[in-house]
Amino acid sequence: MNSERSQAYGRVMRTLEDVGPAKLLDSERERIRAAADTLFFSEDLGTDADARAAVADMSALARHLVESERWIDESASRLLQDLTACGPLQPVA
Protein backbone atom coordinates (compact mmCIF):
# COMPACT_ATOMS: atom_id res chain seq x y z
CA MET A 1 0.00 0.00 0.00
CA ASN A 2 1.01 3.59 -0.44
CA SER A 3 -0.51 6.97 0.28
CA GLU A 4 -1.75 7.47 -3.30
CA ARG A 5 -3.75 4.24 -3.10
CA SER A 6 -5.07 5.19 0.34
CA GLN A 7 -6.14 8.61 -0.93
CA ALA A 8 -7.86 7.05 -3.96
CA TYR A 9 -9.70 4.64 -1.68
CA GLY A 10 -10.83 7.57 0.45
CA ARG A 11 -12.11 9.41 -2.64
CA VAL A 12 -14.16 6.36 -3.65
CA MET A 13 -15.69 6.08 -0.18
CA ARG A 14 -16.49 9.83 -0.16
CA THR A 15 -18.14 9.48 -3.57
CA LEU A 16 -20.33 6.69 -2.22
CA GLU A 17 -21.33 8.88 0.71
CA ASP A 18 -21.93 11.94 -1.47
CA VAL A 19 -24.10 10.30 -4.11
CA GLY A 20 -25.93 8.03 -1.70
CA PRO A 21 -29.01 6.05 -2.67
CA ALA A 22 -30.30 8.86 -4.89
CA LYS A 23 -27.78 8.02 -7.63
CA LEU A 24 -26.78 4.42 -6.88
CA LEU A 25 -28.72 1.33 -5.97
CA ASP A 26 -27.61 -0.45 -2.81
CA SER A 27 -26.30 -3.33 -4.91
CA GLU A 28 -24.24 -0.90 -7.02
CA ARG A 29 -22.82 0.77 -3.94
CA GLU A 30 -21.84 -2.63 -2.57
CA ARG A 31 -20.20 -3.63 -5.88
CA ILE A 32 -18.16 -0.42 -5.86
CA ARG A 33 -17.13 -0.90 -2.24
CA ALA A 34 -16.13 -4.52 -2.89
CA ALA A 35 -14.13 -3.55 -5.99
CA ALA A 36 -12.30 -0.81 -4.09
CA ASP A 37 -11.44 -3.29 -1.32
CA THR A 38 -10.26 -5.90 -3.81
CA LEU A 39 -8.05 -3.43 -5.65
CA PHE A 40 -6.70 -1.82 -2.51
CA PHE A 41 -5.50 -5.15 -1.12
CA SER A 42 -4.19 -6.47 -4.44
CA GLU A 43 -0.44 -6.66 -4.84
CA ASP A 44 -0.21 -7.30 -8.57
CA LEU A 45 -2.94 -6.44 -11.05
CA GLY A 46 -1.23 -8.57 -13.68
CA THR A 47 -1.61 -11.80 -11.73
CA ASP A 48 -4.64 -11.06 -9.52
CA ALA A 49 -7.71 -12.40 -11.35
CA ASP A 50 -10.07 -10.93 -8.74
CA ALA A 51 -8.58 -7.45 -9.22
CA ARG A 52 -8.82 -7.69 -13.01
CA ALA A 53 -12.44 -8.86 -12.68
CA ALA A 54 -13.17 -5.92 -10.36
CA VAL A 55 -11.81 -3.45 -12.92
CA ALA A 56 -13.86 -5.06 -15.70
CA ASP A 57 -17.01 -4.99 -13.54
CA MET A 58 -16.49 -1.35 -12.63
CA SER A 59 -15.92 -0.42 -16.27
CA ALA A 60 -19.20 -2.09 -17.16
CA LEU A 61 -21.00 -0.38 -14.27
CA ALA A 62 -19.62 3.04 -15.27
CA ARG A 63 -20.83 2.49 -18.87
CA HIS A 64 -24.25 1.42 -17.60
CA LEU A 65 -24.59 4.48 -15.36
CA VAL A 66 -23.81 6.80 -18.28
CA GLU A 67 -25.90 4.92 -20.85
CA SER A 68 -28.91 4.91 -18.52
CA GLU A 69 -28.39 8.67 -18.06
CA ARG A 70 -28.15 8.31 -14.30
CA TRP A 71 -24.61 9.73 -14.27
CA ILE A 72 -22.75 12.06 -16.58
CA ASP A 73 -19.64 10.73 -18.31
CA GLU A 74 -17.26 12.93 -16.29
CA SER A 75 -18.55 11.62 -12.95
CA ALA A 76 -18.41 7.99 -14.06
CA SER A 77 -14.90 8.47 -15.48
CA ARG A 78 -13.70 10.10 -12.26
CA LEU A 79 -15.09 7.23 -10.17
CA LEU A 80 -13.44 4.69 -12.46
CA GLN A 81 -10.11 6.54 -12.27
CA ASP A 82 -10.30 6.64 -8.48
CA LEU A 83 -11.20 2.95 -8.34
CA THR A 84 -8.31 1.89 -10.54
CA ALA A 85 -5.98 4.14 -8.52
CA CYS A 86 -6.85 2.02 -5.46
CA GLY A 87 -4.96 -0.86 -7.05
CA PRO A 88 -1.34 -1.51 -7.88
CA LEU A 89 0.17 0.22 -10.85
CA GLN A 90 0.33 -1.83 -13.99
CA PRO A 91 3.82 -2.38 -15.35
CA VAL A 92 4.74 -0.26 -18.34
CA ALA A 93 5.01 -2.46 -21.45
Side-chain angles (χ1 to χ4, degrees):
M1 294 344 125
N2 61 35
S3 68
E4 289 86 11
R5 289 173 71 177
S6 296
Q7 290 172 6
Y9 186 87
R11 288 191 303 272
V12 171
M13 294 304 121
R14 278 191 299 283
T15 297
L16 290 176
E17 288 177 24
D18 291 346
V19 299
K23 294 278 186 175
L24 289 170
L25 302 173
D26 287 342
S27 61
E28 294 166 337
R29 291 166 49 91
E30 194 54 42
R31 280 170 62 193
I32 293 167
R33 195 173 287 113
D37 288 348
T38 297
L39 289 165
F40 187 70
F41 292 108
S42 176
E43 293 184 18
D44 183 354
L45 193 58
T47 61
D48 188 337
D50 289 338
R52 288 193 316 272
V55 171
D57 183 44
M58 290 301 97
S59 295
L61 178 59
R63 276 192 309 276
H64 170 73
L65 291 171
V66 171
E67 290 171 358
S68 66
E69 298 181 356
R70 292 170 48 207
W71 281 43
I72 60 173
D73 187 53
E74 293 81 13
S75 297
S77 293
R78 188 176 327 110
L79 174 62
L80 193 54
Q81 288 172 352
D82 286 340
L83 276 162
T84 56
C86 289
L89 294 175
Q90 296 183 22
V92 177

Coordinates of all heavy atoms in Angstrom, one line a residue:
M1 N 0.8 -1.2 0.0 CA 0.0 0.0 0.0 C 0.9 1.2 0.0 O 2.0 1.2 0.5 CB -0.8 0.1 1.3 CG -1.9 -0.9 1.6 SD -2.6 -2.0 0.5 CE -2.4 -3.5 1.4
N2 N 0.3 2.3 -0.5 CA 1.0 3.6 -0.4 C 0.0 4.7 -0.3 O -1.2 4.4 -0.3 CB 1.9 3.8 -1.7 CG 1.1 3.8 -3.0 OD1 0.0 4.3 -3.0 ND2 1.7 3.3 -4.0
S3 N 0.4 5.9 0.0 CA -0.5 7.0 0.3 C -1.4 7.3 -0.9 O -2.6 7.7 -0.7 CB 0.2 8.2 0.8 OG 1.0 8.8 -0.3
E4 N -0.9 7.2 -2.1 CA -1.7 7.5 -3.3 C -2.9 6.5 -3.4 O -4.1 6.9 -3.6 CB -0.9 7.4 -4.6 CG 0.0 8.5 -4.8 CD 1.4 8.3 -4.1 OE1 1.6 7.1 -3.6 OE2 2.2 9.2 -4.0
R5 N -2.7 5.2 -3.1 CA -3.7 4.2 -3.1 C -4.7 4.5 -2.0 O -5.9 4.4 -2.1 CB -3.2 2.8 -3.0 CG -2.5 2.4 -4.3 CD -1.8 1.1 -4.1 NE -2.7 0.0 -4.0 CZ -2.3 -1.3 -4.0 NH1 -1.0 -1.6 -3.9 NH2 -3.2 -2.3 -3.9
S6 N -4.2 4.9 -0.8 CA -5.1 5.2 0.3 C -6.0 6.4 0.0 O -7.1 6.4 0.4 CB -4.2 5.5 1.6 OG -3.5 4.3 2.0
Q7 N -5.4 7.4 -0.6 CA -6.1 8.6 -0.9 C -7.2 8.3 -2.0 O -8.3 8.8 -1.9 CB -5.2 9.7 -1.4 CG -4.3 10.3 -0.3 CD -3.3 11.2 -0.9 OE1 -3.2 11.5 -2.1 NE2 -2.4 11.6 0.0
A8 N -6.9 7.5 -3.0 CA -7.9 7.1 -4.0 C -9.0 6.3 -3.3 O -10.2 6.5 -3.6 CB -7.2 6.2 -5.0
Y9 N -8.7 5.4 -2.4 CA -9.7 4.6 -1.7 C -10.6 5.6 -0.9 O -11.8 5.4 -0.9 CB -9.0 3.6 -0.7 CG -10.0 2.7 0.0 CD1 -10.4 1.5 -0.6 CD2 -10.5 3.0 1.2 CE1 -11.2 0.6 0.0 CE2 -11.4 2.2 1.8 CZ -11.8 1.0 1.2 OH -12.6 0.1 1.8
G10 N -10.0 6.6 -0.3 CA -10.8 7.6 0.4 C -11.8 8.3 -0.5 O -12.9 8.6 -0.1
R11 N -11.3 8.7 -1.7 CA -12.1 9.4 -2.6 C -13.3 8.5 -3.1 O -14.4 9.1 -3.2 CB -11.3 9.8 -3.9 CG -10.3 11.0 -3.6 CD -9.7 11.6 -4.8 NE -9.0 10.6 -5.7 CZ -7.7 10.3 -5.6 NH1 -7.0 10.8 -4.6 NH2 -7.2 9.4 -6.4
V12 N -13.1 7.3 -3.3 CA -14.2 6.4 -3.7 C -15.2 6.3 -2.5 O -16.4 6.4 -2.8 CB -13.6 4.9 -4.0 CG1 -14.8 4.0 -4.2 CG2 -12.8 5.0 -5.2
M13 N -14.8 6.2 -1.3 CA -15.7 6.1 -0.2 C -16.5 7.4 0.0 O -17.7 7.4 0.2 CB -15.0 5.7 1.1 CG -14.3 4.3 1.1 SD -15.5 3.0 0.8 CE -14.8 2.3 -0.7
R14 N -15.8 8.5 -0.2 CA -16.5 9.8 -0.2 C -17.5 9.9 -1.3 O -18.6 10.5 -1.1 CB -15.5 11.0 -0.2 CG -14.9 11.3 1.1 CD -14.1 12.6 1.1 NE -13.0 12.6 0.2 CZ -11.8 12.0 0.4 NH1 -11.6 11.3 1.5 NH2 -10.9 12.1 -0.5
T15 N -17.2 9.5 -2.5 CA -18.1 9.5 -3.6 C -19.4 8.7 -3.2 O -20.5 9.1 -3.4 CB -17.5 8.9 -4.9 OG1 -16.4 9.8 -5.2 CG2 -18.5 8.9 -6.0
L16 N -19.2 7.5 -2.6 CA -20.3 6.7 -2.2 C -21.2 7.4 -1.2 O -22.4 7.4 -1.3 CB -19.9 5.3 -1.7 CG -19.3 4.4 -2.7 CD1 -18.7 3.1 -2.0 CD2 -20.2 4.0 -3.8
E17 N -20.6 8.1 -0.3 CA -21.3 8.9 0.7 C -22.1 10.1 0.1 O -23.2 10.3 0.4 CB -20.4 9.4 1.8 CG -19.9 8.4 2.7 CD -18.9 9.0 3.8 OE1 -19.0 10.2 4.0 OE2 -18.1 8.2 4.3
D18 N -21.4 10.7 -0.8 CA -21.9 11.9 -1.5 C -23.1 11.6 -2.4 O -24.1 12.4 -2.4 CB -20.9 12.7 -2.3 CG -19.8 13.3 -1.4 OD1 -20.0 13.4 -0.2 OD2 -18.7 13.7 -1.9
V19 N -23.0 10.6 -3.2 CA -24.1 10.3 -4.1 C -25.2 9.5 -3.4 O -26.4 9.7 -3.8 CB -23.6 9.6 -5.4 CG1 -22.6 10.4 -6.1 CG2 -23.1 8.2 -5.1
G20 N -24.9 8.7 -2.5 CA -25.9 8.0 -1.7 C -26.9 7.2 -2.6 O -26.7 7.0 -3.7
P21 N -28.0 6.9 -2.0 CA -29.0 6.1 -2.7 C -29.8 6.8 -3.8 O -30.4 6.2 -4.6 CB -30.0 5.6 -1.6 CG -29.8 6.5 -0.4 CD -28.4 7.1 -0.6
A22 N -29.6 8.1 -3.8 CA -30.3 8.9 -4.9 C -29.7 8.6 -6.3 O -30.4 8.6 -7.3 CB -30.2 10.4 -4.6
K23 N -28.4 8.2 -6.3 CA -27.8 8.0 -7.6 C -27.3 6.6 -7.8 O -26.9 6.2 -8.9 CB -26.6 9.0 -7.8 CG -27.0 10.4 -7.9 CD -27.4 10.8 -9.3 CE -27.6 12.3 -9.4 NZ -27.9 12.6 -10.7
L24 N -27.3 5.8 -6.8 CA -26.8 4.4 -6.9 C -27.7 3.5 -6.1 O -28.1 3.8 -5.0 CB -25.4 4.3 -6.3 CG -24.2 4.9 -7.1 CD1 -22.9 4.9 -6.3 CD2 -24.0 4.2 -8.4
L25 N -28.0 2.4 -6.7 CA -28.7 1.3 -6.0 C -27.8 0.7 -4.9 O -26.6 0.8 -5.0 CB -29.1 0.2 -6.9 CG -30.0 0.6 -8.1 CD1 -30.2 -0.6 -9.0 CD2 -31.3 1.2 -7.6
D26 N -28.4 0.2 -3.9 CA -27.6 -0.5 -2.8 C -26.7 -1.5 -3.4 O -25.5 -1.6 -3.0 CB -28.5 -1.1 -1.7 CG -29.2 -0.1 -0.9 OD1 -28.7 1.1 -0.8 OD2 -30.2 -0.4 -0.2
S27 N -27.1 -2.3 -4.3 CA -26.3 -3.3 -4.9 C -25.1 -2.7 -5.7 O -24.0 -3.3 -5.7 CB -27.1 -4.2 -5.8 OG -27.7 -3.5 -6.9
E28 N -25.3 -1.6 -6.3 CA -24.2 -0.9 -7.0 C -23.2 -0.3 -6.0 O -22.0 -0.4 -6.2 CB -24.8 0.2 -7.9 CG -25.6 -0.3 -9.0 CD -26.5 0.8 -9.7 OE1 -26.7 1.8 -9.1 OE2 -26.8 0.5 -10.9
R29 N -23.7 0.2 -5.0 CA -22.8 0.8 -3.9 C -22.0 -0.3 -3.4 O -20.8 -0.2 -3.1 CB -23.6 1.5 -2.8 CG -24.3 2.8 -3.3 CD -25.3 3.3 -2.3 NE -24.9 3.3 -1.0 CZ -24.3 4.4 -0.4 NH1 -24.1 5.5 -1.1 NH2 -23.9 4.4 0.9
E30 N -22.6 -1.5 -3.1 CA -21.8 -2.6 -2.6 C -20.8 -3.2 -3.6 O -19.7 -3.5 -3.2 CB -22.8 -3.7 -2.2 CG -22.2 -4.8 -1.3 CD -21.5 -4.2 -0.1 OE1 -22.1 -3.3 0.6 OE2 -20.4 -4.7 0.3
R31 N -21.2 -3.2 -4.8 CA -20.2 -3.6 -5.9 C -19.0 -2.7 -5.9 O -17.9 -3.2 -6.0 CB -20.9 -3.6 -7.3 CG -21.7 -4.8 -7.5 CD -22.6 -4.7 -8.8 NE -21.8 -4.5 -10.0 CZ -22.4 -4.2 -11.2 NH1 -23.7 -3.9 -11.2 NH2 -21.6 -4.1 -12.2
I32 N -19.2 -1.4 -5.8 CA -18.2 -0.4 -5.9 C -17.3 -0.6 -4.6 O -16.0 -0.6 -4.7 CB -18.7 1.0 -6.0 CG1 -19.4 1.2 -7.3 CG2 -17.6 2.0 -5.7 CD1 -20.2 2.5 -7.5
R33 N -17.9 -0.7 -3.5 CA -17.1 -0.9 -2.2 C -16.3 -2.2 -2.3 O -15.1 -2.2 -1.9 CB -18.1 -1.0 -1.1 CG -17.5 -0.8 0.3 CD -18.5 -0.7 1.4 NE -19.2 0.6 1.4 CZ -20.5 0.8 1.1 NH1 -21.2 -0.2 0.8 NH2 -21.0 2.0 1.1
A34 N -16.9 -3.3 -2.8 CA -16.1 -4.5 -2.9 C -15.0 -4.4 -3.9 O -13.9 -4.9 -3.6 CB -17.1 -5.6 -3.3
A35 N -15.2 -3.7 -5.0 CA -14.1 -3.6 -6.0 C -13.0 -2.7 -5.4 O -11.8 -3.1 -5.6 CB -14.7 -2.9 -7.3
A36 N -13.3 -1.7 -4.7 CA -12.3 -0.8 -4.1 C -11.5 -1.6 -3.1 O -10.2 -1.5 -3.1 CB -12.9 0.4 -3.4
D37 N -12.1 -2.4 -2.3 CA -11.4 -3.3 -1.3 C -10.5 -4.3 -2.0 O -9.4 -4.4 -1.7 CB -12.4 -4.1 -0.5 CG -13.2 -3.2 0.6 OD1 -12.8 -2.0 0.8 OD2 -14.1 -3.7 1.1
T38 N -11.0 -4.9 -3.1 CA -10.3 -5.9 -3.8 C -9.0 -5.3 -4.4 O -7.9 -5.8 -4.3 CB -11.1 -6.5 -4.9 OG1 -12.2 -7.2 -4.3 CG2 -10.3 -7.5 -5.8
L39 N -9.2 -4.1 -5.0 CA -8.0 -3.4 -5.7 C -7.1 -2.9 -4.6 O -5.9 -3.0 -4.8 CB -8.5 -2.3 -6.5 CG -9.3 -2.7 -7.8 CD1 -10.0 -1.6 -8.4 CD2 -8.3 -3.3 -8.8
F40 N -7.6 -2.4 -3.5 CA -6.7 -1.8 -2.5 C -5.8 -2.9 -1.9 O -4.6 -2.6 -1.6 CB -7.5 -1.2 -1.4 CG -6.7 -0.4 -0.4 CD1 -6.1 0.7 -0.7 CD2 -6.6 -0.9 0.9 CE1 -5.3 1.4 0.2 CE2 -5.8 -0.2 1.8 CZ -5.2 1.0 1.5
F41 N -6.3 -4.1 -1.7 CA -5.5 -5.2 -1.1 C -4.8 -6.0 -2.1 O -4.1 -6.9 -1.8 CB -6.4 -6.0 -0.2 CG -6.8 -5.2 1.0 CD1 -8.1 -4.8 1.2 CD2 -5.9 -4.9 2.0 CE1 -8.5 -4.1 2.3 CE2 -6.3 -4.2 3.1 CZ -7.6 -3.8 3.2
S42 N -4.9 -5.7 -3.4 CA -4.2 -6.5 -4.4 C -2.7 -6.0 -4.5 O -2.4 -4.9 -4.3 CB -4.8 -6.2 -5.8 OG -4.1 -6.9 -6.8
E43 N -1.9 -7.0 -4.7 CA -0.4 -6.7 -4.8 C 0.0 -6.6 -6.3 O 1.0 -5.9 -6.6 CB 0.4 -7.7 -4.1 CG 0.1 -7.6 -2.6 CD 1.0 -8.6 -1.8 OE1 2.0 -9.1 -2.3 OE2 0.7 -8.8 -0.6
D44 N -0.7 -7.3 -7.2 CA -0.2 -7.3 -8.6 C -1.4 -7.5 -9.5 O -2.0 -8.5 -9.6 CB 0.8 -8.4 -8.8 CG 1.4 -8.5 -10.2 OD1 0.9 -7.7 -11.1 OD2 2.2 -9.3 -10.4
L45 N -1.8 -6.4 -10.2 CA -2.9 -6.4 -11.0 C -2.8 -7.4 -12.2 O -3.7 -8.0 -12.6 CB -3.2 -5.0 -11.6 CG -4.5 -4.8 -12.3 CD1 -5.7 -5.1 -11.4 CD2 -4.6 -3.4 -12.8
G46 N -1.5 -7.6 -12.6 CA -1.2 -8.6 -13.7 C -1.5 -10.0 -13.4 O -1.9 -10.8 -14.2
T47 N -1.4 -10.4 -12.1 CA -1.6 -11.8 -11.7 C -2.8 -12.0 -10.8 O -3.2 -13.2 -10.5 CB -0.4 -12.4 -11.0 OG1 -0.2 -11.6 -9.8 CG2 0.9 -12.3 -11.9
D48 N -3.5 -11.0 -10.4 CA -4.6 -11.1 -9.5 C -5.9 -11.1 -10.3 O -6.4 -10.0 -10.8 CB -4.6 -9.9 -8.5 CG -5.6 -10.0 -7.4 OD1 -6.7 -10.7 -7.6 OD2 -5.4 -9.4 -6.4
A49 N -6.5 -12.3 -10.5 CA -7.7 -12.4 -11.3 C -8.9 -11.6 -10.7 O -9.7 -11.1 -11.4 CB -8.1 -13.9 -11.5
D50 N -9.0 -11.6 -9.4 CA -10.1 -10.9 -8.7 C -10.0 -9.4 -9.0 O -11.0 -8.8 -9.2 CB -10.1 -11.2 -7.2 CG -10.5 -12.6 -6.9 OD1 -11.2 -13.3 -7.7 OD2 -10.1 -13.1 -5.8
A51 N -8.8 -8.9 -9.0 CA -8.6 -7.5 -9.2 C -8.9 -7.1 -10.7 O -9.6 -6.1 -10.9 CB -7.1 -7.0 -8.9
R52 N -8.5 -7.9 -11.6 CA -8.8 -7.7 -13.0 C -10.3 -7.8 -13.2 O -10.9 -7.0 -14.0 CB -8.1 -8.7 -13.9 CG -6.6 -8.4 -14.0 CD -5.9 -9.2 -15.1 NE -6.3 -10.6 -15.2 CZ -5.7 -11.6 -14.6 NH1 -4.7 -11.3 -13.8 NH2 -6.1 -12.8 -14.8
A53 N -11.0 -8.7 -12.6 CA -12.4 -8.9 -12.7 C -13.1 -7.6 -12.1 O -14.1 -7.2 -12.6 CB -12.9 -10.1 -12.0
A54 N -12.6 -7.1 -11.0 CA -13.2 -5.9 -10.4 C -13.1 -4.7 -11.3 O -14.1 -4.0 -11.4 CB -12.5 -5.6 -9.0
V55 N -12.0 -4.6 -12.0 CA -11.8 -3.4 -12.9 C -12.8 -3.6 -14.1 O -13.5 -2.6 -14.5 CB -10.4 -3.3 -13.4 CG1 -10.2 -2.4 -14.6 CG2 -9.4 -3.0 -12.3
A56 N -12.9 -4.8 -14.6 CA -13.9 -5.1 -15.7 C -15.3 -4.8 -15.3 O -16.1 -4.2 -16.0 CB -13.7 -6.5 -16.2
D57 N -15.7 -5.2 -14.1 CA -17.0 -5.0 -13.5 C -17.3 -3.5 -13.4 O -18.3 -3.0 -13.7 CB -17.2 -5.8 -12.2 CG -18.6 -5.6 -11.7 OD1 -19.6 -5.7 -12.5 OD2 -18.7 -5.4 -10.5
M58 N -16.3 -2.8 -12.8 CA -16.5 -1.3 -12.6 C -16.5 -0.6 -13.9 O -17.3 0.4 -14.1 CB -15.4 -0.8 -11.7 CG -15.5 -1.3 -10.3 SD -17.1 -0.8 -9.5 CE -18.0 -2.3 -9.7
S59 N -15.8 -1.0 -14.9 CA -15.9 -0.4 -16.3 C -17.3 -0.6 -16.8 O -17.9 0.3 -17.4 CB -14.9 -1.0 -17.2 OG -13.6 -0.7 -16.8
A60 N -17.9 -1.8 -16.7 CA -19.2 -2.1 -17.2 C -20.2 -1.3 -16.4 O -21.2 -0.7 -17.0 CB -19.5 -3.6 -17.0
L61 N -20.1 -1.2 -15.1 CA -21.0 -0.4 -14.3 C -20.9 1.1 -14.7 O -22.0 1.7 -14.8 CB -20.7 -0.5 -12.8 CG -21.6 0.3 -11.8 CD1 -23.1 -0.1 -12.0 CD2 -21.1 0.1 -10.4
A62 N -19.8 1.6 -14.9 CA -19.6 3.0 -15.3 C -20.3 3.3 -16.6 O -21.1 4.3 -16.8 CB -18.1 3.4 -15.4
R63 N -20.1 2.4 -17.6 CA -20.8 2.5 -18.9 C -22.3 2.5 -18.7 O -23.1 3.3 -19.3 CB -20.4 1.4 -19.8 CG -19.1 1.6 -20.6 CD -18.9 0.6 -21.7 NE -19.0 -0.7 -21.3 CZ -18.0 -1.5 -20.7 NH1 -16.9 -0.9 -20.5 NH2 -18.2 -2.7 -20.4
H64 N -22.8 1.5 -17.8 CA -24.2 1.4 -17.6 C -24.8 2.7 -17.0 O -25.9 3.2 -17.4 CB -24.5 0.2 -16.7 CG -25.9 0.2 -16.2 ND1 -27.0 -0.2 -17.0 CD2 -26.5 0.5 -15.0 CE1 -28.1 -0.1 -16.3 NE2 -27.8 0.3 -15.1
L65 N -24.1 3.3 -16.0 CA -24.6 4.5 -15.4 C -24.7 5.6 -16.4 O -25.7 6.4 -16.3 CB -23.7 4.9 -14.2 CG -23.7 3.9 -13.0 CD1 -22.6 4.3 -12.0 CD2 -25.0 4.0 -12.3
V66 N -23.8 5.7 -17.3 CA -23.8 6.8 -18.3 C -24.9 6.5 -19.3 O -25.7 7.4 -19.7 CB -22.4 7.0 -18.9 CG1 -22.5 7.9 -20.1 CG2 -21.4 7.5 -17.9
E67 N -24.9 5.3 -19.8 CA -25.9 4.9 -20.9 C -27.3 5.0 -20.4 O -28.2 5.4 -21.1 CB -25.6 3.5 -21.4 CG -24.4 3.4 -22.2 CD -24.0 2.0 -22.6 OE1 -24.6 1.0 -22.1 OE2 -22.9 1.9 -23.2
S68 N -27.6 4.8 -19.1 CA -28.9 4.9 -18.5 C -29.2 6.3 -18.1 O -30.3 6.6 -17.6 CB -29.1 4.0 -17.3 OG -28.2 4.4 -16.3
E69 N -28.3 7.2 -18.4 CA -28.4 8.7 -18.1 C -28.6 9.0 -16.6 O -29.2 10.0 -16.2 CB -29.5 9.3 -18.9 CG -29.2 9.2 -20.4 CD -30.3 9.8 -21.3 OE1 -31.3 10.3 -20.7 OE2 -30.1 9.8 -22.5
R70 N -28.1 8.1 -15.7 CA -28.1 8.3 -14.3 C -26.9 9.1 -13.8 O -27.0 9.8 -12.8 CB -28.2 7.0 -13.6 CG -29.6 6.3 -13.8 CD -29.6 4.9 -13.3 NE -29.1 4.7 -11.9 CZ -28.6 3.6 -11.5 NH1 -28.5 2.5 -12.2 NH2 -28.2 3.5 -10.2
W71 N -25.8 9.0 -14.6 CA -24.6 9.7 -14.3 C -24.1 10.4 -15.6 O -24.4 9.9 -16.7 CB -23.5 8.8 -13.8 CG -23.6 8.4 -12.4 CD1 -24.7 8.0 -11.7 CD2 -22.5 8.2 -11.4 NE1 -24.4 7.6 -10.4 CE2 -23.1 7.8 -10.2 CE3 -21.2 8.4 -11.5 CZ2 -22.3 7.5 -9.1 CZ3 -20.4 8.2 -10.4 CH2 -20.9 7.7 -9.2
I72 N -23.4 11.5 -15.4 CA -22.7 12.1 -16.6 C -21.4 11.4 -16.8 O -20.9 10.8 -15.8 CB -22.6 13.6 -16.5 CG1 -21.7 14.0 -15.3 CG2 -24.0 14.3 -16.4 CD1 -21.4 15.5 -15.2
D73 N -20.9 11.4 -18.0 CA -19.6 10.7 -18.3 C -18.5 11.2 -17.4 O -17.7 10.3 -17.0 CB -19.3 11.0 -19.8 CG -18.1 10.1 -20.2 OD1 -18.2 8.9 -20.0 OD2 -17.2 10.7 -20.8
E74 N -18.4 12.4 -17.1 CA -17.3 12.9 -16.3 C -17.3 12.3 -14.9 O -16.2 11.9 -14.4 CB -17.3 14.5 -16.2 CG -17.0 15.2 -17.5 CD -18.2 15.3 -18.4 OE1 -19.4 15.0 -18.0 OE2 -18.0 15.6 -19.6
S75 N -18.4 12.2 -14.3 CA -18.5 11.6 -13.0 C -18.2 10.1 -13.0 O -17.5 9.7 -12.1 CB -20.0 11.8 -12.4 OG -20.2 13.2 -12.3
A76 N -18.7 9.4 -14.0 CA -18.4 8.0 -14.1 C -16.9 7.8 -14.3 O -16.3 6.9 -13.7 CB -19.3 7.4 -15.2
S77 N -16.3 8.6 -15.2 CA -14.9 8.5 -15.5 C -14.1 8.8 -14.2 O -13.1 8.1 -14.0 CB -14.5 9.4 -16.6 OG -15.1 9.0 -17.8
R78 N -14.4 9.8 -13.5 CA -13.7 10.1 -12.3 C -13.8 9.0 -11.3 O -12.8 8.6 -10.6 CB -14.2 11.4 -11.6 CG -13.4 11.9 -10.5 CD -13.9 13.2 -9.9 NE -14.5 14.1 -10.9 CZ -15.8 14.4 -11.0 NH1 -16.6 13.9 -10.1 NH2 -16.2 15.3 -11.9
L79 N -15.0 8.4 -11.1 CA -15.1 7.2 -10.2 C -14.2 6.1 -10.6 O -13.5 5.5 -9.8 CB -16.6 6.8 -10.1 CG -16.8 5.5 -9.3 CD1 -16.4 5.7 -7.8 CD2 -18.2 5.1 -9.4
L80 N -14.2 5.8 -11.9 CA -13.4 4.7 -12.5 C -11.9 5.0 -12.3 O -11.2 4.1 -11.9 CB -13.8 4.5 -13.9 CG -13.3 3.2 -14.6 CD1 -13.7 2.0 -13.8 CD2 -13.8 3.1 -16.0
Q81 N -11.5 6.2 -12.5 CA -10.1 6.5 -12.3 C -9.7 6.4 -10.8 O -8.7 5.8 -10.5 CB -9.8 8.0 -12.7 CG -9.8 8.2 -14.2 CD -9.8 9.7 -14.6 OE1 -9.8 10.5 -13.7 NE2 -9.6 9.9 -15.8
D82 N -10.6 6.8 -9.9 CA -10.3 6.6 -8.5 C -10.3 5.2 -8.1 O -9.4 4.7 -7.3 CB -11.3 7.4 -7.6 CG -11.1 8.9 -7.7 OD1 -10.0 9.4 -8.0 OD2 -12.1 9.6 -7.3
L83 N -11.2 4.4 -8.6 CA -11.2 3.0 -8.3 C -9.9 2.3 -8.8 O -9.3 1.5 -8.1 CB -12.4 2.3 -9.0 CG -13.7 2.4 -8.2 CD1 -14.9 2.1 -9.1 CD2 -13.7 1.4 -7.0
T84 N -9.5 2.5 -10.0 CA -8.3 1.9 -10.5 C -7.1 2.4 -9.8 O -6.1 1.6 -9.6 CB -8.1 2.1 -12.1 OG1 -8.1 3.5 -12.4 CG2 -9.2 1.4 -12.8
A85 N -7.1 3.6 -9.3 CA -6.0 4.1 -8.5 C -5.9 3.5 -7.1 O -4.8 3.6 -6.5 CB -6.1 5.7 -8.4
C86 N -6.9 2.8 -6.7 CA -6.9 2.0 -5.5 C -5.9 0.8 -5.6 O -5.4 0.3 -4.6 CB -8.2 1.5 -5.1 SG -9.4 2.8 -4.5
G87 N -5.7 0.4 -6.8 CA -5.0 -0.9 -7.0 C -3.5 -0.6 -7.4 O -3.1 0.6 -7.5
P88 N -2.8 -1.7 -7.5 CA -1.3 -1.5 -7.9 C -1.2 -1.0 -9.3 O -2.0 -1.2 -10.1 CB -0.8 -2.9 -7.7 CG -2.0 -3.8 -8.0 CD -3.2 -3.1 -7.5
L89 N -0.1 -0.3 -9.5 CA 0.2 0.2 -10.8 C 0.5 -0.9 -11.8 O 1.1 -1.9 -11.4 CB 1.4 1.2 -10.8 CG 1.2 2.5 -10.1 CD1 2.5 3.3 -10.0 CD2 0.1 3.3 -10.7
Q90 N 0.0 -0.8 -13.0 CA 0.3 -1.8 -14.0 C 1.7 -1.6 -14.5 O 2.1 -0.4 -14.7 CB -0.7 -1.8 -15.1 CG -2.1 -2.2 -14.7 CD -3.0 -2.2 -15.8 OE1 -2.7 -2.3 -17.0 NE2 -4.3 -2.0 -15.5
P91 N 2.5 -2.6 -14.8 CA 3.8 -2.4 -15.3 C 3.7 -1.8 -16.7 O 2.8 -2.0 -17.5 CB 4.4 -3.8 -15.4 CG 3.3 -4.7 -15.3 CD 2.2 -4.0 -14.6
V92 N 4.7 -0.9 -17.0 CA 4.7 -0.3 -18.3 C 5.3 -1.3 -19.3 O 6.3 -1.9 -19.1 CB 5.6 1.0 -18.3 CG1 5.7 1.6 -19.7 CG2 5.1 2.0 -17.3
A93 N 4.6 -1.5 -20.5 CA 5.0 -2.5 -21.5 C 6.1 -1.9 -22.3 O 6.3 -0.8 -22.6 CB 3.8 -2.9 -22.3

